[in-house]
Amino acid sequence: MFENTAGSYVIEGLKEWGVGHIYGMPGDSINEFMEELRKEDAIRYIQVRHEETGALAAAAYSKLTGQIGVCMSIAGPGAVHLQNGLYDAQKDKTPVLAIVGQVSSSTLGTDTFQELKLESMFEDVAVYNRQVHAAEQLPDMLNQAIRTAYAEKGPAVLIVSDDLFAEKIKRDMPFTSSAYSVPKIRAAEEDLQSALELIQSAKKPVILAGKGARGAGAELAAFAEKIKAPIILSLPAKGIVPDSHPYNLGQLGQLGTKQSEDAMKETDLVILAGTAFPYRSYLPDKAPAIQIDIEPKVIGKYYPATVGIVGELAPTLSWFTERANEKEEDFLTKYAQKREAWHADLQKDMDKETDKLQPQHVLAEVQHIMDGNAVISLDVGSVTIWTAKYLQLSGQSLVVSAWLATMGCALPGAIAAKLAYPGRQVIGLIGDGGFSIGMQDFVTAVKYKLSMTLVVFNNQKIQLIEDEQEQKGNPADNVELANIDFAAFAKACGGIGYTARNRTELKTALASAKASGKPVVIDAYVEDISAI
């Protein structure tokens, strides 16, 4: 029988689950667990300057790798700060573990300093949400929390009074383990046959694919080529089928393309592949639909699916490709031509000479220095729309706060990307509004020598909100931002900062940033242009 601290068993459990790092800030209600981490070399503690950064980074790490991201906080204010990142994980369906400190078990319930009812606070966000009441429970509850996060694709919260980490517990054998098996979900034959009948009769099929198509890009392209269907991708799926593919019409919705919107209006069959696209106004009025997803609960959730198929996307699409009839190319050709004209217009925008730097110029220059396996961490705002339109992905990874769409996600995403893939180029594309929300954690990138290039689109305003206010017929209000010298800020943090006010300066800055191997902020002053 072995006797060790409960905290040491937590460390061993995390290692068994393959956890290599934790994001957090030290504090009084996690001091005992910090001591256990101090003695451990295999798990790296990434000290962030704000717990929201830690939770957003944990979510981004999970989105990029499929592995659980782990963050940590003290009780009270630290726990409150985690919420935004945990909601991001919940909405984008990715596993995250939050280890949350609590006041001493001897004072719990007495309304002592920094005590909050944490289980109540996390109830809405977490797929697993439990307070540990005895040290002996801790190792097994850790396994349960992580397994639930994976199984239900969301954040698990484990709340622990700090004194419990230091208690010695005796364990001759564990009650639980880190064994976990991912089920292979195969579609029902009758559903496949029903869907095949719709595919065979359709003359104008359109495929709308989401992030559920990750790992099935080749099968998606082969299926589209067999049935001559244009492909539309949701933003989180951008790059799964290369933007250069002749069938790829781009995105749909506010940040989408005209040809995608028109194709959806004309289609006689929409095939929803690994997406629960929520914007009903951009989907057909009455067209029949096939929806393929591994989650039964999303079938028909946002569009009345004619046939629902619960199964993994890659084998399902391959089954259809093998059996579907070749179709006429008239519909596809029409939209392929519209796509070519659209891309020609985009290229003209990127090539045109102007006195001031414009957003599309920035993305054109980023394209030139972007590696084939780069990770692009994208923020939320007008920069999202510009990137969706102008940046062409083919094999690169994109991470973004998709469903929650929280500003300030790109820097945490870049930190997570560099920790996940140290040898890959990491580029953050961020508006000045988004960067200023959490820019203090640029010093985290500097501290841990995480090389990245953060391109800040600086127009001294919250551009997208101004556009939306004016679209409603209202005068723009409270969208102007006081300017910050982001290059000087980067230098003050110990990183590198460049200012770019024209295309020549931007080219030089991007090349220098790529060669530096260090954390870099490029303060790109862009012209004030509506994004929508």
Side-chain angles (χ1 to χ4, degrees):
M1 183 176 290
F2 299 98
E3 184 176 84
N4 286 302
T5 65
S8 70
Y9 283 112
V10 171
I11 296 293
E12 291 306 310
L14 290 171
K15 290 194 292 186
E16 287 179 14
W17 282 99
V19 173
H21 65 277
I22 298 174
Y23 305 94
M25 286 185 70
D28 58 358
S29 53
I30 51 173
N31 279 333
E32 296 290 358
F33 189 56
M34 289 299 300
E35 173 61 14
E36 298 294 346
L37 281 171
R38 183 189 66 79
K39 296 182 285 187
E40 177 54 52
D41 294 330
I43 297 178
R44 191 179 184 191
Y45 188 76
I46 305 299
Q47 180 210 65
V48 294
R49 296 303 178 93
H50 196 292
E51 291 89 352
E52 181 176 317
T53 300
L56 285 169
Y61 178 84
S62 180
K63 293 175 197 179
L64 286 165
T65 66
Q67 303 300 307
I68 195 162
V70 183
C71 56
M72 199 164 85
S73 81
I74 65 166
V80 172
H81 287 164
L82 291 178
Q83 290 274 40
N84 196 38
L86 296 184
Y87 270 108
D88 180 60
Q90 181 208 65
K91 295 298 184 182
D92 282 351
K93 299 180 181 178
T94 201
V96 164
L97 171 68
I99 299 173
V100 181
Q102 181 56 293
V103 299
S104 172
S105 56
S106 63
T107 61
L108 192 62
T110 64
D111 199 22
T112 190
F113 177 68
Q114 289 194 329
E115 182 182 3
L116 297 176
K117 294 174 69 176
L118 294 180
E119 275 190 281
S120 298
M121 189 178 79
F122 288 113
E123 188 59 34
D124 182 61
V125 71
V127 297
Y128 178 94
N129 176 31
R130 293 290 184 271
Q131 167 91 40
V132 178
H133 293 285
E136 288 80 3
Q137 299 173 309
L138 190 47
D140 299 315
M141 289 179 72
L142 175 75
N143 281 332
Q144 188 177 354
I146 295 176
R147 185 174 290 107
T148 304
Y150 274 120
E152 299 191 25
K153 300 181 180 65
V157 177
L158 196 60
I159 304 163
V160 190
S161 292
D162 192 38
D163 56 296
L164 298 184
F165 285 115
E167 282 192 25
K168 295 286 185 70
I169 59 175
K170 295 179 179 180
R171 294 174 72 84
D172 54 355
M173 61 182 297
F175 296 121
T176 60
S177 76
S178 60
Y180 180 69
S181 178
V182 179
K184 299 293 184 184
I185 303 172
R186 293 290 182 262
E189 183 75 20
E190 58 269 28
D191 294 336
L192 292 169
Q193 291 291 350
S194 297
L196 183 61
E197 291 176 14
L198 288 175
I199 293 169
Q200 304 293 50
S201 62
K203 297 186 183 304
K204 300 176 180 181
V206 170
I207 301 168
L208 173 58
K211 63 185 177 70
R214 189 168 289 121
E219 291 83 356
L220 178 59
F223 174 55
E225 289 161 10
K226 180 69 177 288
I227 67 169
K228 304 298 183 290
I231 301 169
I232 300 169
L233 296 171
S234 68
L235 179 65
K238 183 177 173 66
I240 288 176
V241 173
D243 284 310
S244 58
H245 192 287
Y247 289 21
N248 187 345
L249 301 187
Q251 278 66 65
L252 183 67
Q254 187 185 51
L255 45 67
T257 67
K258 183 68 165 59
Q259 64 267 20
S260 293
E261 190 172 342
D262 290 346
M264 272 297 178
K265 289 176 181 176
E266 192 176 346
T267 185
D268 61 0
L269 176 65
V270 59
I271 301 168
L272 301 167
T275 183
F277 189 83
Y279 302 108
R280 183 65 178 83
S281 61
Y282 289 99
L283 294 172
D285 291 332
K286 296 180 180 178
I290 299 166
Q291 186 171 0
I292 310 164
D293 208 286
I294 60 171
E295 294 286 351
K297 65 184 179 183
V298 304
I299 301 293
K301 185 173 182 179
Y302 297 103
Y303 188 83
T306 311
V307 176
I309 298 174
V310 178
E312 292 175 38
L313 192 59
T316 300
L317 294 178
S318 294
W319 191 93
F320 288 137
T321 302
E322 188 177 322
R323 293 163 177 79
N325 295 331
E326 293 268 2
K327 295 192 178 295
E328 298 294 328
E329 296 194 14
D330 294 352
F331 180 69
L332 174 64
T333 300
K334 174 181 176 180
Y335 282 97
Q337 290 171 348
K338 287 189 173 189
R339 174 197 174 278
E340 296 228 353
W342 169 266
H343 278 273
D345 288 341
L346 294 182
Q347 194 61 52
K348 286 178 185 176
D349 282 347
M350 290 186 283
D351 291 343
K352 73 180 179 182
E353 297 294 332
T354 59
D355 293 335
K356 295 182 179 179
L357 195 59
Q358 295 189 346
Q360 70 273 17
H361 298 154
V362 177
L363 291 162
E365 296 305 330
V366 167
Q367 187 89 46
H368 291 150
I369 58 94
M370 183 173 64
D371 291 343
N373 68 343
V375 182
I376 307 300
S377 185
L378 178 60
D379 218 283
V380 171
S382 59
V383 68
T384 319
I385 297 176
W386 295 116
T387 301
K389 286 182 179 179
Y390 289 100
L391 192 67
Q392 302 293 292
L393 299 185
S394 179
Q396 295 86 3
S397 300
L398 176 73
V399 63
V400 64
S401 174
W403 202 280
L404 186 62
T406 182
M407 291 173 67
C409 65
L411 175 55
I415 290 170
K418 201 63 187 180
L419 289 165
Y421 306 113
R424 291 168 64 176
Q425 181 190 35
V426 173
I427 301 172
L429 302 175
I430 318 174
D432 50 344
F435 188 53
S436 60
I437 282 177
M439 67 185 192
Q440 74 282 337
D441 268 291
F442 180 69
V443 79
T444 302
V446 173
K447 176 178 179 177
Y448 295 103
K449 298 182 171 69
L450 304 177
S451 63
M452 61 183 66
T453 300
L454 305 179
V455 184
V456 180
F457 291 61
N458 188 349
N459 61 359
Q460 295 98 61
K461 65 171 55 177
I462 310 172
Q463 179 71 61
L464 184 59
I465 304 306
E466 179 181 75
D467 294 344
E468 290 174 347
Q469 288 176 349
E470 290 177 348
Q471 272 199 343
K472 291 180 178 293
N474 302 326
D477 183 51
N478 277 301
V479 295
E480 302 292 337
L481 297 174
N483 191 34
I484 299 171
D485 186 336
F486 295 113
F489 166 78
K491 294 172 187 175
C493 291
I496 297 174
Y498 297 109
T499 300
R501 295 181 183 273
N502 57 54
R503 202 155 182 170
T504 300
E505 291 178 349
L506 179 64
K507 286 181 181 179
T508 301
L510 284 167
S512 298
K514 184 174 183 178
S516 74
K518 295 182 178 180
V520 178
V521 173
I522 298 175
D523 191 1
Y525 282 79
V526 294
E527 197 169 355
D528 179 10
I529 301 172
S530 173
I532 58 177

